[in-house]
Amino acid sequence: KTNKFRTIIFRSDIKQQYDWILAILQGTNGDLWMTTGSGGLLHLDIVTEKIIEQFKHDDNNPQSIGSNLLTAIVPISKDTLAISTDKGIDLFSVSKKTFSHITETDGLPGGFVWSMLADNKRNLWFTTSEGISKIHLPDKRIHNYETVDGVTEKECQFQTAI
């Protein structure tokens, strides 16, 4: 509203827990969602400037986030966020606080997802070290694009966008 930047400075001991913040998404209630290089998913209250939730991988909980290395975050619906990781893509239910996972066993061409974009046809486009792909979210059908589709380079890097 003010058209001004605001600086939020984390204490150095907290900053070391989270590593790099790689992507930020504005929430719906004066909040931010942030992906990190090793600290999982952070939920920040903008007013208090405090982390109100942190979601980290838990080997004993299959509904926890799939990894602590997160590269991108995209809103899918009012209650669902898509999060790219070094293990695939996680769909996060904001209301239930649970994650479902889409991985190489589901058809992803590579586990490390660098970047994602959603379109208005319920598709999630993403890049991996193995190329460009698309998931049709209603049925989770995955299409991996190859040179026959016109892709000239198979390998994509961090924040490679479509």
Side-chain angles (χ1 to χ4, degrees), residues 78-97:
K78 186 177 173 182
D79 185 55
T80 306
L81 303 176
I83 301 160
S84 61
T85 79
D86 62 332
K87 309 275 189 235
I89 295 173
D90 284 0
L91 300 178
F92 175 57
S93 169
V94 176
S95 62
K96 295 178 184 174
K97 310 286 186 217

Side-chain angles (χ1 to χ4, degrees), residues 63-113:
Q63 291 185 322
S64 75
I65 198 161
S67 173
N68 292 325
L69 171 52
L70 315 176
T71 55
I73 185 167
V74 174
I76 298 301
S77 70
K78 186 177 173 182
D79 185 55
T80 306
L81 303 176
I83 301 160
S84 61
T85 79
D86 62 332
K87 309 275 189 235
I89 295 173
D90 284 0
L91 300 178
F92 175 57
S93 169
V94 176
S95 62
K96 295 178 184 174
K97 310 286 186 217
T98 59
F99 297 83
S100 60
H101 315 286
I102 303 169
T103 64
E104 285 181 273
T105 58
D106 300 306
L108 296 187
F112 206 118
V113 178

